[in-house]
Amino acid sequence: MPTLLLVRHGRSTANTAGILAGWTPGVALDDTGRVQAAALAGRLTGLPIAHAVSSPLERCRQTLEPLLAGRPELAAPALDERLGECHYGEWTGRPLSELATEPLWRTVQDHAAAAAFPGGESLRELSHRTVTAVREWNEKIAVEHGEDAVWIACSHGDVIKAVVADALGLHLDHFQRINVEPCSVTAIRYTPQRPFVLRMGDTGDLSSLAPRQGHPGAPAGDAVVGGDTGAR
């Protein structure tokens, strides 16, 4: 039962400008985002990260750079397009303030399962590809690194919200109720019975997520009793 640490990239130049970046090339971390990325490496100190996966977009790769620089034993992250940002189509590169006046905006906010971006993908397609990706990676890492492995995936806000909604058993229409700040960490542990969301949008200390000695697969802060039989 590996533990997945889903990291949203640090604050980007598009975040600062209020632009829907999507897959626009050249969108990088801003000064604050670079500070956040450096702090992330410190927040993860003590966690035995077995593997890293990333969206191929620059802002995600930059977010992981300080972590990788301090862990030479950790291979360069595998780049998986399925963890890339939503394909927003004709909305890409437009100001959020302008998009908020579009009729589709209310559908995206209130009925996400019915939302499809013109010339892009639907939020249902986003959810399917991202959830499939993290579950496949989780199984692969369990086989290669053991059931108590901790691994990290750096991605984007809507991607992480879709994965969390699935883990919580929420209908996609409710995914806008989930909030993940730049460079926050969301921790999910998948089990044969159900996923457990251990952290959501956490910007603080993460040390309690380290596996406990003698209790494989269970982070110290885990609420599960007897492996998978109950919660607080």
Side-chain angles (χ1 to χ4, degrees):
M1 298 181 290
T3 298
L4 162 62
L5 306 180
L6 266 173
V7 176
R8 184 183 176 190
H9 62 78
R11 198 176 78 174
S12 73
T13 53
N15 295 143
T16 309
I19 300 295
L20 188 65
W23 284 73
T24 303
V27 175
L29 298 184
D30 66 8
D31 290 342
T32 295
R34 287 190 287 272
V35 171
Q36 290 170 334
L40 174 68
R43 291 164 58 208
L44 294 172
T45 299
L47 294 183
I49 298 173
H51 194 73
V53 184
S54 179
S55 157
L57 294 173
E58 181 179 359
R59 53 196 183 271
C60 289
R61 291 185 282 109
Q62 286 182 321
T63 298
L64 292 181
E65 283 176 0
L67 172 68
L68 296 170
R71 301 201 186 199
E73 76 284 359
L74 191 59
L79 303 182
D80 191 333
E81 290 199 357
R82 296 176 298 173
L83 295 179
E85 181 62 284
C86 183
H87 293 279
Y88 293 115
E90 295 170 16
W91 279 31
T92 301
R94 293 176 60 188
L96 293 171
S97 58
E98 179 183 295
L99 292 172
T101 67
E102 297 275 358
L104 179 60
W105 182 269
R106 287 265 44 101
T107 304
V108 172
Q109 302 303 314
D110 302 332
H111 191 19
F117 297 98
E121 68 182 331
S122 70
L123 287 173
R124 292 191 311 278
E125 291 169 328
L126 169 76
S127 175
H128 176 72
R129 68 170 164 90
T130 57
V131 170
T132 299
V134 298
R135 287 179 179 266
E136 286 182 0
W137 275 110
N138 204 68
E139 291 175 5
K140 175 180 173 67
I141 287 163
V143 171
E144 294 181 356
H145 298 282
E147 293 291 333
D148 61 344
V150 178
W151 64 287
I152 191 168
C154 191
S155 191
H156 307 267
D158 281 349
V159 171
I160 295 171
K161 287 157 60 176
V163 172
V164 171
D166 171 76
L168 291 174
L170 290 178
H171 194 282
L172 186 60
D173 283 349
H174 301 314
F175 100 130
Q176 297 287 20
R177 300 182 183 192
I178 298 164
N179 184 60
V180 288
E181 295 292 328
C183 231
S184 64
V185 175
T186 294
I188 301 174
R189 186 160 61 88
Y190 292 94
T191 77
Q193 288 74 34
R194 66 184 71 86
F196 290 90
V197 178
L198 308 176
R199 294 285 190 285
M200 188 161 63
D202 196 322
T203 57
D205 177 67
L206 300 165
S207 59
S208 65
L209 290 171
R212 288 183 293 183
Q213 247 185 344
H215 193 167
D222 186 24
V224 180
V225 176
D228 186 31
T229 56
R232 342 174 189 266

